[in-house]
Amino acid sequence: MLRMMSSKDMTMSNSAARWEIDILEAQQPDVWLPKGDFLANHEYIVRGLLKEAWNRWHSQAMTISSPLLHHHMQLLDAEGGLLIESAIGDDLPNTGTEAILAPLNSRRSTGCIARLKLASADKTESFLLPLLEAAALTMQEMYDHAYDLLIVRQMMNQQQIIDKEARGRDYLFQAAKRLHDQNDVYSVLHVLLDDVEVMYPGAKVNLYLSQDFVYSDSRVKPLLLRHTNDDLNANAFLTGKPVTADEDGGGIKLAIPLRGNQAVYGVLSLSLQQRWDEFEHRSMVMLVDTAGSAFENAKLYEQSNLLISELQLINELTKRLNQSLRLNEVFDFALTELMTIFKADYCHLLQISNDGSNFQIMASNVPMTDTESYSTSTGFGGIVIRTKEPLIISDYWSTRVVDSKLMDASGARSLIAAPVMAGSAVVGVIMVSHQSPNFFSYENYKLLQVLSTHIGLAVSNASLHAEVRRMVITDNLTGLHARHYLNEQIHLRQRKDRCGSLVLVDIDHFKRVNDTFGHLIGDQILVAVSDVIRNCIRDTDIAARWGGEELAVYLPQIRTGQAYRIAERIRSTVEGQTDPTVTVSCGISEWSFDEEKISVESLFYRADMALYEAKKNGRNRICVG
């Protein structure tokens, strides 16, 4: 009794064959586009197509109840190997059977690709051979049809891949163009992240940067190198190469370094739940490499602009600093500019005292600091003096390396400080602070170091100018002002004051002192009298050496009566405190706004006449002109 394949079995067989071919196509979607027959290494594809042709013929043969189905049939490959056979009853005798063969020839090849074999017990059934040959021809047509379909599918898959790569290359070109069109670091990162999300809408995208970078986008995060063995991002950053890992659930995670020609700046992390082919991998690596170059170019452009602006700033600051040769103006201008440049809350300019033990606050926007005393051995100023190097403090409240009166008084948390140098010596310290932590950058730190050098030069120039001017307007022996300075100051006072008095002081018989005790003692007497005058007048009064042993004191806003009392105090003090004892004669004159003609010459003339009168009347006395 014959056992036939059921329709359900045939359907399952067809599905299995189609599944096998589809699996093969999925494994190698673009392996070949054959010309002519299949090659030897494509035997598994030929076998699959032959089995598909057999199943299709077998299904049709069952619908017409072909006599061939009552016999044991086999489909053999070109070498005679069994591919598939029909199932019949077990009562077919094994002896006395005769095999009938019919070849299958594809139109694409000249040789036989397979054979149909039929085993029959009755040699007289001559009609079986034509039926077998017809079945072979039918299978051959079905084989060629399946072959053509496979070729078309392969060509369509190949064309889809080509189109996909073409679209990918075009998008990659446009993305690279957008990236290199940006001169701003923020824009480069924004374009990169947006393009990646457009390419993979369901992916999780993050960018980890190794540099301090303040960016509001939550996708940009700091790169922390803590667990380098297990951390995909750390491995990609350290090796400079893309790293891939499988995730739970069949997903994939990719870490691609954001690198330029000079360094690796970060890592792009991409997690997605889809198949990832080689072209997509190459495209993503190329996109991130392009973004790395664009990021580096934007950083260089930003740094060049920053450098240009800093050079312009330094040039402008230096020019304006050198416009003034007054120390107080230099310090005040430097204070204002430093606060503007660094957007600081507080600024202090400290100068070291002559003995080097304390700081003198030359300029500050914290009023209470003016009356404080600051030792050069403590605080941040002491550190700067000892190291002769600038320093930066990110958060004074959390680190508190030393106690700082200035930081505590202002409540500041961020600090940058730099020494003010005069040659190789530290003459002062600049301290710039802000109430927010981590406010100042490393660029601010370097810029202050440069600016402090130019401020130091301006301070040195102003100090030298002040010293030269002091030497010009000061008498070397007595330490009093020179006569021309006194004349200038009286002239200025006569233009804005309402009155003033002049006292001329002459040492009596000074030639006799020189002849008796020598010129050295005479100089000491002259210095002693100058000290008495300096101690008997106000800070606003001007004492000068008028010539020889004659000294002069100008008293602004003082009338004759008060000037007489001051002159008397000078006369009596000189007489009582000099050794050897000497006396002085004084002549007083005054001017007032009511006079018709006011001049320095007339004021001196009247005082000189009064002095002459005092000497004429016996010396050691005071006369008013």
Side-chain angles (χ1 to χ4, degrees):
M1 180 179 179
L2 295 175
R3 181 164 51 87
M4 307 296 291
M5 293 181 66
S6 66
S7 176
K8 180 178 180 181
D9 293 337
M10 292 298 295
T11 302
M12 293 178 62
S13 178
N14 288 336
S15 299
R18 169 56 55 197
W19 177 82
E20 181 180 358
I21 293 178
D22 289 341
I23 288 296
L24 294 174
E25 290 181 277
Q27 290 175 345
Q28 297 189 6
D30 57 346
V31 296
W32 49 271
L33 287 176
K35 298 178 180 178
D37 202 359
F38 296 104
L39 301 178
N41 59 347
H42 301 140
E43 179 181 353
Y44 61 96
I45 299 179
V46 175
R47 294 168 64 91
L49 294 177
L50 287 172
K51 290 179 181 180
E52 181 182 2
W54 165 276
N55 291 330
R56 291 180 61 189
W57 172 83
H58 203 285
S59 178
Q60 293 179 7
M62 290 182 65
T63 60
I64 61 174
S65 300
S66 173
L68 295 175
L69 297 178
H70 298 282
H71 299 273
H72 187 267
M73 293 183 65
Q74 295 178 333
L75 178 63
L76 308 177
D77 60 18
E79 287 75 24
L82 177 63
L83 295 177
I84 194 170
E85 62 182 341
S86 62
I88 62 173
D90 297 332
D91 55 348
L92 185 66
N94 294 327
T95 60
T97 60
E98 182 177 351
I100 303 174
L101 296 176
L104 273 72
N105 297 313
S106 172
R107 69 173 181 271
R108 296 179 177 274
S109 62
T110 56
C112 176
I113 61 172
R115 289 180 177 84
L116 275 177
K117 180 180 178 180
L118 183 143
S120 175
D122 189 355
K123 299 181 179 180
T124 61
E125 295 180 349
S126 58
F127 66 92
L128 292 178
L129 179 59
L131 288 177
L132 190 63
E133 291 176 345
L137 289 175
T138 301
M139 286 189 196
Q140 177 179 313
E141 290 298 326
M142 292 178 177
Y143 170 83
D144 288 339
H145 178 70
Y147 180 96
D148 293 340
L149 289 178
L150 180 60
I151 293 299
V152 171
R153 285 197 299 270
Q154 293 288 343
M155 294 180 66
M156 291 178 64
N157 289 341
Q158 186 72 12
Q159 187 61 43
Q160 289 176 356
I161 293 174
I162 293 173
D163 293 343
K164 178 182 177 181
E165 292 184 356
R167 290 193 301 270
R169 283 191 292 268
D170 182 66
Y171 189 85
L172 187 63
F173 173 78
Q174 296 298 330
K177 186 176 183 299
R178 285 193 296 272
L179 285 169
H180 282 293
D181 284 343
Q182 312 303 320
N183 286 328
D184 180 68
V185 174
Y186 300 94
S187 300
V188 170
L189 299 181
H190 186 72
V191 169
L192 170 63
L193 294 171
D194 287 351
D195 284 344
V196 173
E197 289 188 345
V198 169
M199 294 172 65
Y200 302 98
K204 181 180 179 182
V205 183
N206 287 303
L207 181 62
Y208 297 90
L209 292 180
S210 61
Q211 300 177 332
D212 293 336
F213 195 75
V214 180
Y215 192 39
S216 59
D217 197 326
S218 60
R219 298 170 296 180
V220 179
K221 303 176 181 178
L223 178 64
L224 303 177
L225 302 177
R226 294 178 179 173
H227 307 291
T228 56
N229 293 331
D230 302 327
D231 192 345
L232 211 66
N233 299 323
N235 288 334
F237 178 79
L238 295 175
T239 61
K241 297 179 181 179
V243 181
T244 308
D246 294 329
E247 290 187 321
D248 297 338
I252 188 171
K253 184 175 182 180
L254 183 65
I256 307 175
L258 183 73
R259 58 191 175 188
N261 294 326
Q262 298 181 351
V264 178
Y265 301 100
V267 175
L268 179 74
S269 176
L270 185 65
S271 299
L272 65 164
Q273 298 290 331
Q274 66 184 70
R275 194 172 67 181
W276 185 271
D277 59 32
E278 183 181 355
F279 175 75
E280 290 175 316
H281 185 276
R282 292 198 311 268
S283 299
M284 185 57 62
V285 172
M286 291 177 62
L287 177 62
V288 178
D289 283 346
T290 303
S293 298
F295 180 86
E296 185 174 76
N297 292 337
K299 288 288 290 182
L300 292 174
Y301 180 78
E302 182 182 85
Q303 290 173 0
S304 63
N305 286 339
L306 180 62
L307 181 60
I308 291 173
S309 62
E310 287 182 357
L311 290 175
Q312 292 174 341
L313 176 66
I314 293 170
N315 180 59
E316 182 66 22
L317 180 66
T318 304
K319 183 173 67 175
R320 295 185 62 181
L321 282 172
N322 291 330
Q323 286 177 351
S324 176
L325 292 175
R326 297 182 181 274
L327 268 176
N328 59 335
E329 293 179 0
V330 170
F331 282 116
D332 290 340
F333 174 74
L335 173 72
T336 304
E337 289 299 308
L338 289 173
M339 293 190 63
T340 302
I341 292 170
F342 297 107
K343 298 180 176 58
D345 289 335
Y346 310 105
C347 183
H348 314 282
L349 279 77
L350 313 178
Q351 190 175 25
I352 300 176
S353 60
N354 294 331
D355 59 3
S357 61
N358 291 302
F359 284 120
Q360 179 183 1
I361 297 181
M362 303 305 297
S364 174
N365 66 326
V366 182
M368 63 175 295
T369 60
D370 295 340
T371 58
E372 294 285 340
S373 176
Y374 302 97
S375 172
T376 55
S377 60
T378 60
F380 293 114
I383 295 177
V384 173
I385 290 177
R386 289 194 300 273
T387 61
K388 296 185 179 181
E389 294 290 338
L391 63 83
I392 179 170
I393 301 297
S394 298
D395 191 353
Y396 170 69
W397 291 4
S398 61
T399 57
R400 206 171 187 89
V401 179
V402 295
D403 291 332
S404 172
K405 291 184 178 179
L406 292 176
M407 296 291 285
D408 291 335
S410 61
R413 299 181 65 175
S414 300
L415 170 72
I416 48 176
V420 179
M421 307 293 294
S424 59
V426 180
V427 296
V429 175
I430 298 174
M431 300 178 65
V432 182
S433 55
H434 196 278
Q435 289 185 330
S436 302
N438 306 305
F439 182 79
F440 300 111
S441 64
Y442 183 66
E443 284 74 17
N444 297 146
Y445 166 82
K446 294 190 296 183
L447 179 59
L448 180 62
Q449 185 177 10
V450 175
L451 294 180
S452 66
T453 302
H454 293 276
I455 293 175
L457 291 174
V459 170
S460 297
N461 291 338
S463 299
L464 289 174
H465 179 267
E467 179 64 20
V468 170
R469 178 171 175 78
R470 188 195 66 79
M471 293 174 63
V472 169
I473 66 174
T474 303
D475 178 67
N476 291 333
L477 177 61
T478 62
L480 302 179
H481 291 295
R483 178 173 178 174
H484 68 86
Y485 179 77
L486 178 64
N487 292 343
E488 293 174 1
Q489 292 301 310
I490 294 175
H491 180 70
L492 292 175
R493 294 287 183 172
Q494 286 180 337
R495 296 174 61 181
K496 61 180 182 179
D497 293 345
R498 299 193 62 84
C499 63
S501 297
L502 177 67
V503 179
L504 291 182
V505 181
D506 183 77
I507 301 175
D508 297 330
H509 303 295
F510 187 68
K511 185 177 183 302
R512 184 185 304 171
V513 173
N514 285 331
D515 293 341
T516 304
F517 301 100
H519 286 82
L520 183 59
I521 298 299
D523 290 344
Q524 293 177 359
I525 290 296
L526 192 57
V527 171
V529 173
S530 300
D531 291 339
V532 170
I533 293 176
R534 192 180 293 110
N535 293 328
C536 291
I537 62 177
R538 304 168 300 176
D539 292 337
T540 56
D541 299 334
I542 304 170
R545 185 177 181 183
W546 196 42
E549 71 277 12
E550 292 181 340
L551 309 174
V553 180
Y554 179 71
L555 308 171
Q557 303 284 12
I558 295 297
R559 302 305 294 260
T560 302
Q562 189 174 355
Y564 188 92
R565 290 191 291 273
I566 295 173
E568 176 59 27
R569 186 162 60 246
I570 293 172
R571 186 201 64 78
S572 60
T573 304
V574 169
E575 185 177 11
Q577 294 184 0
T578 54
D579 183 24
T581 302
V582 295
T583 60
V584 294
S585 300
C586 300
I588 300 176
S589 64
E590 73 166 4
W591 69 273
S592 67
F593 189 77
D594 299 333
E595 296 180 16
E596 293 183 0
K597 185 177 181 180
I598 302 172
S599 66
V600 177
E601 290 78 10
S602 63
L603 185 65
F604 270 101
Y605 178 76
R606 295 197 300 270
D608 191 32
M609 290 297 100
L611 178 61
Y612 176 76
E613 190 70 22
K615 286 180 174 291
K616 181 180 177 182
N617 293 331
R619 294 183 173 83
N620 193 20
R621 65 187 64 245
I622 302 170
C623 292
V624 178

